[in-house]
Amino acid sequence: LDFIFNKNSSFGNYELNQNTSFLKFFDNPNDSYHCLELGDFYYRNGQYAAAIVLLERACEYNTFKDNDELYYTIYYCGYIMSLLPKRDTYEKALWLRMINLLPNRSEGYLMLSKYYYWRQQYEEAFTFAKLAYYKNYYAFDADILNEIDGDIQYFKTLYFTENYLTCEEKLRLLLEESSINERQREEIINFLDFIEENKNNRVRIL
């Protein structure tokens, strides 16, 4: 299974033909790979609700060759779910499902931390960021999520603890890493700007 978020992968570069995807799906609608391919087509064309239905079906029938592929498909479904309004409960359930499926992997903990962080539930965000940070096992394509994403999230949540000075120091050190990508660099810089803007009224949660 190619990581279909990675546009440089063979799967991502493949000019997906809608008719071909439909034919595969209708030939065997219970095949998880066919559901995933058609769901990916819908996602890339902005039809998020339809994509979610297909990805849910892929997970339900689970004809994947291993749990890593199921894990990724749950992530993909959760990611699309996060783009839609009023899907909070189900999105959270998907991140928990990832954790329950492969508890030694970090991605599920990281996404659950982000889920809480975006909702300003910083105590929960810190808890799951810490779990992701110390497990430090990522198997997705590096362009999707990797250990640096886990580091950033953990250091960001440190800001709301008594170790907030460590947070800024660690983030500045990360900026010097040659392996960080532009998305990660932008996230760090934005948070450092946030720290500077709130240096006189920092809220400590933990």
Side-chain angles (χ1 to χ4, degrees):
L1 178 67
D2 277 313
F3 290 110
I4 52 185
F5 271 156
N6 180 5
K7 295 181 180 179
N8 294 320
S9 72
S10 58
F11 195 105
N13 280 332
Y14 177 62
E15 289 297 329
L16 197 56
N17 182 283
Q18 182 177 13
N19 292 330
T20 301
S21 299
F22 273 120
L23 286 173
K24 287 181 181 179
F25 176 73
F26 286 120
D27 181 60
N28 187 355
N30 298 336
D31 183 280
S32 293
Y33 296 101
H34 296 166
C35 295
L36 176 58
E37 183 175 312
L38 186 56
D40 181 59
F41 174 85
Y42 281 128
Y43 165 71
R44 292 178 185 275
N45 284 275
Q47 300 178 55
Y48 296 161
I52 288 170
V53 170
L54 270 298
L55 295 175
E56 287 176 331
R57 186 180 182 91
C59 295
E60 178 184 357
Y61 285 98
N62 190 18
T63 60
F64 296 115
K65 66 181 181 182
D66 56 39
N67 280 340
D68 288 318
E69 295 186 347
L70 174 60
Y71 188 89
Y72 176 75
T73 306
I74 297 170
Y75 168 77
Y76 194 6
C77 189
Y79 171 80
I80 300 172
M81 189 78 64
S82 72
L83 303 177
L84 299 173
K86 300 180 180 179
R87 302 292 183 97
D88 291 23
T89 301
Y90 190 63
E91 180 195 339
K92 178 182 175 181
L94 289 171
W95 306 138
L96 288 169
R97 185 178 177 187
M98 287 175 68
I99 292 170
N100 290 332
L101 179 65
L102 293 174
N104 290 326
R105 292 271 296 269
S106 295
E107 295 95 343
Y109 299 100
L110 175 56
M111 293 310 298
L112 191 54
S113 175
K114 288 178 176 289
Y115 171 90
Y116 284 121
Y117 183 87
W118 292 329
R119 290 157 181 80
Q120 299 182 350
Q121 296 175 251
Y122 299 120
E123 183 172 358
E124 292 86 351
F126 173 75
T127 297
F128 287 100
K130 187 175 181 179
L131 286 167
Y133 179 76
Y134 283 105
K135 286 180 181 295
N136 198 31
Y137 173 41
Y138 294 84
F140 285 171
D141 188 282
D143 288 341
I144 303 172
L145 287 176
N146 60 34
E147 62 274 7
I148 292 178
D149 291 293
D151 292 348
I152 293 171
Q153 182 68 9
Y154 179 54
F155 299 150
K156 283 170 64 175
T157 59
L158 277 178
Y159 174 80
F160 301 98
T161 74
E162 62 184 6
N163 297 314
Y164 72 97
L165 293 176
T166 302
C167 149
E168 183 173 357
E169 176 188 348
K170 295 288 189 181
L171 288 173
R172 292 194 183 280
L173 287 173
L174 269 183
L175 276 179
E176 299 175 7
E177 293 284 339
S178 60
S179 57
I180 71 170
N181 59 41
E182 286 307 308
R183 171 181 58 79
Q184 294 164 338
R185 183 180 301 278
E186 182 179 359
E187 183 177 358
I188 293 171
I189 291 172
N190 287 341
F191 195 76
L192 290 174
D193 289 343
F194 169 81
I195 292 175
E196 180 63 25
E197 292 168 4
N198 293 274
K199 61 183 179 181
N200 295 323
N201 58 344
R202 188 183 72 88
V203 176
R204 175 180 168 183
I205 304 298
L206 303 173

